[in-house]
Amino acid sequence: MTSSLPQHSSSSTTTTTTTTTTTNNNNNNTNPPSSILIVGSGLFGLSTAYALTRRHEFINTSITVIDRSDPSSQSTFPSPDAASIDTSRIVRADYADHAYAALCDEAQLIWRQQDKPTDLGAQGRYHETGLLVVGDATSAAPVADPPVEGGASESSHKKLTGMDYARKSWENVSSLASRDPMLAERIRELPNADAICEVLGTGGSSGAWGYINYNSGWTDAGASMAWLYEQVIQTGRVNFIAGTVESLEHDDTGVTGVRLQDQRVLTADLVMVAAGAWTGSFVDLDGQAVATGQVLGYLNITEEEQEILGKMPVILNLSSGLFIIPPTNRVLKVARHAYGYTNPRTVHFPPLPVSPTATSNCLVSIPRTSLHDPDLVIPAEGEADLRAALREMTPLPGLVDRPFTKTRLCWYSDTRTADFLIDYHPHWKNLFVATGDSGHAFKFLPVIGDKIVDCIQRNCPPEFKEKWAWKEGEGANALFTEDGSRGGKPGLILEEELLKALSV
């Protein structure tokens, strides 16, 4: 298929680029803006751009996406250190929260389409290998707080344990599958470690109780983002600009555009910041979301090991946060979904303050990646946990202590409840924020763009209206995601953990 390519701009162009000639000064205006500028070409940003091109209401709206790498180059789209670029991401409707379970159930209908090469799930982009969900034995669950009215996260009613999460997830996926006997028979309870070991098939095990859901699996994240980019390109509607955003431009009441490092200024009726873990560098999120680094490790394996491990399901221990995805091309990935590491830094260009009368917070957790620090390694405590996962889940001879061929910090935009933050800014006109992926957004690639555009049109799905809303006054206490799915230790600072290795 062919399509007209959007215009590409580079830093050698004019000093100021203008994407609109008028300004909409009212966030409550339901008329579509004449121009939208999206900061970030990751999952939220690119899927929104695509969804906008398919909405008749935005047929006359110019759509521009700005990213710090050139999206026309497949080797750098999005930037290689973006969370949406990796060998694999889990695709699961296995959630303790029914709303997210149902949303992924909707997305999986599209992931499973593989008849044509142009289908999202085709050409090896989606693999329904099954997901083995387990939890460790724990003491009695915490006493639930009084119910929260208005649709707030189910997980916010009490602090869930990993086992709580696993059992609620079992109930939700079983309920969703009950409408189709073929789906229902692909989900089976595993009441003990022996049953878990048998299904895992590696000689290892994990957890005290769990279940296998063969309706879940994993996706090649990098290939899926390349597919999404190609869909956007084929529309001929989206203008991509390569450049690094320095700050948001604004007047006394609203945001008018962005300023780039090369001092170009881009303006638009509506500015949407969807910069993932970098969002807090541009907008003071008032304690609602923070950038956290998560450890990943990759191992080269033999053909014999590929033959054994290639048949395993994805395994996720919701108590430890440790998970392993079946290997492809003789590369095995092991990771930890944890509280993560923050990287607090005093920024040269403060983010947009919470309100026009507030003072900017210059101390922000900013992702530190190998793109700008080639010698960056993961902290020793994180590597030790990854080794523990290999020892427990895939105890093949010689595998546990084999050197990693690559390690990485994947940066989340974490919220307290693991709910996304998708809403208009309450104090700055013409500013929309889509962030707070909390490490579980990628599976929604086929549907999240449409949901975000619904929010832009002030028609947020009712089940997410409170979950995704901007929440005032969240900044008083340290932010830790407490949805029951996180492992590791809360409160770790990246710099401190890296220095520990040097002091040994």
Side-chain angles (χ1 to χ4, degrees):
M1 295 191 298
T2 60
S3 65
S4 58
L5 293 176
Q7 177 183 352
H8 292 265
S9 302
S10 66
S11 57
S12 62
T13 58
T14 58
T15 302
T16 301
T17 303
T18 300
T19 59
T20 184
T21 57
T22 62
T23 302
N24 171 14
N25 287 318
N26 188 349
N27 274 352
N28 293 318
N29 193 333
T30 58
N31 294 325
S34 64
S35 58
I36 296 178
L37 174 61
I38 300 173
V39 179
S41 65
L43 174 65
F44 282 178
L46 198 59
S47 63
T48 300
Y50 186 42
L52 286 168
T53 67
R54 299 189 294 167
R55 293 285 178 99
H56 178 76
E57 298 92 327
F58 295 92
I59 193 170
N60 294 317
T61 299
S62 69
I63 306 164
T64 300
V65 175
I66 172 76
D67 204 353
R68 55 198 168 93
S69 59
D70 187 354
S72 67
S73 172
Q74 289 296 309
S75 63
T76 56
F77 164 71
S79 183
D81 56 358
S84 53
I85 297 299
D86 195 9
T87 57
S88 54
R89 287 287 181 269
I90 300 174
V91 177
R92 60 178 174 96
D94 305 78
Y95 276 90
D97 187 307
H98 180 77
Y100 288 102
L103 186 62
C104 186
D105 190 55
E106 178 184 341
Q108 284 181 301
L109 296 176
I110 302 173
W111 281 114
R112 292 181 180 127
Q113 295 175 12
Q114 302 180 3
D115 293 337
K116 304 189 297 293
T118 53
D119 287 337
L120 172 57
Q123 297 184 322
R125 287 184 285 267
Y126 178 61
H127 307 262
E128 203 155 87
T129 58
L131 171 64
L132 178 52
V133 176
V134 302
D136 294 338
T138 60
S139 58
V143 177
D145 293 331
V148 177
E149 298 180 358
S153 280
E154 297 163 22
S155 59
S156 68
H157 297 169
K158 68 172 185 175
K159 180 179 177 180
L160 300 180
T161 66
M163 184 65 83
D164 291 333
Y165 192 114
R167 291 190 180 276
K168 283 179 173 287
S169 173
W170 155 258
E171 294 170 2
N172 283 329
V173 293
S174 296
S175 176
L176 287 168
S178 64
R179 69 184 186 273
D180 185 334
M182 291 185 63
L183 294 177
E185 66 185 20
R186 288 164 60 84
I187 304 173
R188 177 160 54 94
E189 183 180 8
L190 305 173
N192 52 51
D194 289 341
I196 293 168
C197 178
E198 181 180 357
V199 169
L200 184 56
T202 65
S205 188
S206 183
W209 177 93
Y211 68 91
I212 180 69
N213 180 6
Y214 285 109
N215 300 313
S216 294
W218 61 276
T219 176
D220 183 327
S224 297
M225 287 299 292
W227 175 92
L228 179 58
Y229 174 63
E230 182 60 27
Q231 307 311 302
V232 176
I233 288 294
Q234 288 178 13
T235 69
R237 289 278 318 280
V238 179
N239 178 40
F240 284 90
I241 296 178
T244 300
V245 173
E246 185 175 87
S247 60
L248 300 187
E249 291 284 286
H250 61 88
D251 55 26
D252 291 340
T253 61
V255 171
T256 58
V258 300
R259 180 177 294 274
L260 308 186
Q261 282 185 349
D262 61 15
Q263 298 308 300
R264 282 181 293 164
V265 173
L266 314 177
T267 62
D269 275 358
L270 178 65
V271 175
M272 171 177 158
V273 180
W278 285 263
T279 301
S281 304
F282 308 123
V283 182
D284 187 334
L285 297 172
D286 196 20
Q288 296 175 95
V290 65
T292 66
Q294 312 286 333
V295 292
L296 284 71
Y298 304 83
L299 290 166
N300 286 339
I301 61 176
T302 66
E303 288 286 0
E304 293 76 15
E305 291 166 339
Q306 173 70 49
E307 177 66 21
I308 296 170
L309 300 179
K311 298 174 183 177
M312 67 180 283
V314 178
I315 179 169
L316 168 62
N317 185 314
L318 288 165
S319 297
S320 66
L322 295 168
F323 65 93
I324 295 179
I325 293 176
T328 57
N329 300 319
R330 294 172 52 191
V331 175
L332 179 68
K333 170 184 166 182
V334 56
R336 184 180 69 182
H337 182 62
Y339 292 103
Y341 313 100
T342 57
N343 186 41
R345 288 290 181 269
T346 300
V347 294
H348 182 64
F349 295 97
L352 186 77
V354 173
S355 73
T357 59
T359 302
S360 294
N361 179 11
C362 295
L363 188 65
V364 181
S365 179
I366 298 176
R368 180 177 172 183
T369 75
S370 58
L371 188 64
H372 300 291
D373 184 359
D375 298 325
L376 180 65
V377 296
I378 61 175
E381 74 83 30
E383 179 170 348
D385 254 12
L386 299 187
R387 296 287 178 195
L390 293 170
R391 186 176 302 108
E392 183 178 56
M393 299 173 177
T394 56
L396 274 61
L399 187 64
V400 173
D401 297 320
R402 187 174 304 167
F404 287 116
T405 53
K406 174 186 174 184
T407 60
R408 176 189 176 191
L409 287 173
C410 176
W411 288 88
Y412 295 177
S413 173
D414 264 340
T415 67
R416 281 179 168 77
T417 59
D419 288 314
F420 307 151
L421 173 55
I422 302 173
D423 201 0
Y424 282 94
H425 197 291
H427 305 298
W428 291 98
K429 296 177 181 178
N430 313 322
L431 175 60
F432 189 88
V433 175
T435 191
D437 60 88
S438 300
H440 69 98
F442 196 90
K443 63 182 68 66
F444 302 113
L445 183 152
V447 296
I448 193 62
D450 278 323
K451 306 304 180 187
I452 294 174
V453 174
D454 286 342
C455 294
I456 290 174
Q457 294 186 287
R458 302 191 178 281
N459 189 31
C460 180
E463 64 273 25
F464 293 112
K465 189 172 180 61
E466 294 298 325
K467 297 177 189 294
W468 294 352
W470 184 282
K471 300 171 181 68
E472 300 276 12
E474 294 259 311
N477 302 306
L479 192 165
F480 305 121
T481 300
E482 295 285 12
D483 69 338
S485 71
R486 300 302 180 98
K489 301 174 183 178
L492 298 182
I493 307 297
L494 178 60
E495 190 68 28
E496 294 176 0
E497 294 304 312
L498 291 174
L499 288 174
K500 288 179 181 179
L502 300 178
S503 62
V504 174

